[in-house]
Amino acid sequence: MGIRKTDDHIREIEKLRTEIESMELEMRQLHESRQKLHFSQQKNEQLVSTLHEAKAQIEALRKEVDKLSAPPSTFAVFYNTNEDGTVNVSLGGRKLRVNLHPSIPPESLKKGQEVIVNEGLNVIEARGYDPQGEVVHLKHLLDDGRAVVSLHLDDERVVEISDALTHQDLSVGDHLLFEPRSGYLIEKLPKGEMEELVIEEVPDIQYDQIGGLTKELEQVKDAVELPFLYPELFAEHRLSPPKGLLLYGPPGCG
């Protein structure tokens, strides 16, 4: 009986050893399978990343091709907005009513501002003000947002004042940038130091409206008016008219 039990134990031990070896083999195979799976997942992630990069590059190339093959856009100047959502623009000297892209708020557009119009005559982009144009002089401000300006050769023209100048202090004689295609004044230009001293608008004030300076006014008349009223006397007595007058005194003295 003792020998039989010993043989049974040996067989059980051998059986367990065999099962353990089988389990160890399966564990190694499972570990190897997991490593292969992990490696495959990494390769798959790299492949997915490569595909995304390739897709992005293809999309970028497609956009570049579309951009290069697209018809040219046109610059126009914004006038105003209509009740139906369309806008009025100046394009090549013509005033047109066109559609506005939904992404552009109508209230964001300013009079005289440049916009881009596509081949379908739709405003697709808003830009700033054109920095180029003609330099004109302000002659007179009208009450309805317009102004009279002096062009070259002293020609005068009635023009529109853009929103860029609405809140600026404009006065007669100012140098302004004029956009001739749209008829808008878009910028106030600085004057030179000497031009700041020139009175562009002659004051309409008579001598009798100035009080308390009788002696000084007589001196002004003698120096300014006499050489023009009696030039023959100045020539006869070889008198040289004064080249100018220097008026000085504290503020408020006239």
Side-chain angles (χ1 to χ4, degrees), residues 22-40:
S22 177
M23 291 179 63
E24 289 177 348
L25 178 61
E26 291 178 357
M27 290 290 291
R28 286 195 298 271
Q29 291 176 346
L30 179 60
H31 181 68
E32 292 175 357
S33 299
R34 286 179 176 176
Q35 287 183 332
K36 291 180 180 179
L37 178 60
H38 181 67
F39 179 75
S40 299

Side-chain angles (χ1 to χ4, degrees), residues 145-198:
R146 297 181 300 162
V148 179
V149 298
S150 175
L151 307 174
H152 55 279
L153 301 179
D154 292 332
D155 291 337
E156 293 186 354
R157 179 174 174 178
V158 177
V159 298
E160 293 274 352
I161 299 176
S162 71
D163 287 343
L165 294 176
T166 302
H167 302 292
Q168 292 202 29
D169 185 18
L170 301 179
S171 57
V172 174
D174 282 344
H175 292 182
L176 303 173
L177 184 62
F178 173 60
E179 210 289 309
R181 296 172 301 170
S182 61
Y184 272 109
L185 298 173
I186 57 178
E187 184 181 351
K188 182 178 179 180
L189 303 175
K191 289 184 178 180
E193 293 183 1
M194 294 302 297
E195 291 177 310
E196 292 288 350
L197 304 177
V198 177

Side-chain angles (χ1 to χ4, degrees), residues 4-251:
R4 183 179 299 175
K5 288 183 179 180
T6 301
D7 293 339
D8 291 339
H9 284 306
I10 292 173
R11 283 195 296 271
E12 287 293 332
I13 291 172
E14 290 295 331
K15 182 179 179 181
L16 290 173
R17 183 180 291 114
T18 302
E19 291 178 355
I20 291 173
E21 291 176 353
S22 177
M23 291 179 63
E24 289 177 348
L25 178 61
E26 291 178 357
M27 290 290 291
R28 286 195 298 271
Q29 291 176 346
L30 179 60
H31 181 68
E32 292 175 357
S33 299
R34 286 179 176 176
Q35 287 183 332
K36 291 180 180 179
L37 178 60
H38 181 67
F39 179 75
S40 299
Q41 288 177 342
Q42 288 182 334
K43 294 290 289 183
N44 186 47
E45 290 175 357
Q46 292 177 355
L47 180 60
V48 171
S49 177
T50 303
L51 289 175
H52 281 303
E53 292 178 0
K55 183 179 179 181
Q57 292 177 357
I58 292 173
E59 188 65 26
L61 289 174
R62 181 182 292 111
K63 289 182 179 179
E64 288 296 326
V65 171
D66 293 341
K67 185 185 298 184
L68 293 174
S69 60
S73 299
T74 306
F75 286 85
V77 178
F78 172 75
Y79 275 127
N80 56 358
T81 305
N82 301 308
E83 294 182 357
D84 59 357
T86 59
V87 295
N88 297 325
V89 300
S90 173
L91 179 60
R94 297 182 302 159
K95 191 173 183 179
L96 303 175
R97 172 178 288 194
V98 298
N99 293 316
L100 182 65
H101 195 277
S103 64
I104 303 177
E107 61 274 8
S108 67
L109 298 176
K110 307 298 181 183
K111 289 193 302 182
Q113 178 182 1
E114 272 194 335
V115 294
I116 294 181
V117 179
N118 63 10
E119 72 278 7
L121 295 182
N122 299 311
V123 175
I124 58 174
E125 183 180 344
R127 299 180 62 85
Y129 292 91
D130 190 352
Q132 303 181 30
E134 298 182 10
V135 178
V136 298
H137 295 82
L138 181 62
K139 299 287 289 185
H140 183 62
L141 287 172
L142 303 178
D143 296 332
D144 56 355
R146 297 181 300 162
V148 179
V149 298
S150 175
L151 307 174
H152 55 279
L153 301 179
D154 292 332
D155 291 337
E156 293 186 354
R157 179 174 174 178
V158 177
V159 298
E160 293 274 352
I161 299 176
S162 71
D163 287 343
L165 294 176
T166 302
H167 302 292
Q168 292 202 29
D169 185 18
L170 301 179
S171 57
V172 174
D174 282 344
H175 292 182
L176 303 173
L177 184 62
F178 173 60
E179 210 289 309
R181 296 172 301 170
S182 61
Y184 272 109
L185 298 173
I186 57 178
E187 184 181 351
K188 182 178 179 180
L189 303 175
K191 289 184 178 180
E193 293 183 1
M194 294 302 297
E195 291 177 310
E196 292 288 350
L197 304 177
V198 177
I199 299 177
E200 298 287 348
E201 187 176 13
V202 179
D204 186 17
I205 299 176
Q206 305 298 323
Y207 284 127
D208 55 7
Q209 294 178 274
I210 303 174
L213 297 173
T214 304
K215 179 181 178 181
E216 288 78 4
L217 291 178
E218 290 297 329
Q219 292 176 345
V220 170
K221 291 179 181 179
D222 292 343
V224 177
E225 294 184 358
L226 290 182
F228 292 97
L229 294 176
Y230 307 103
E232 65 280 358
L233 293 179
F234 278 79
E236 179 182 350
H237 297 283
R238 297 181 180 180
L239 298 176
S240 299
K243 296 182 179 180
L245 292 174
L246 177 61
L247 304 178
Y248 66 94

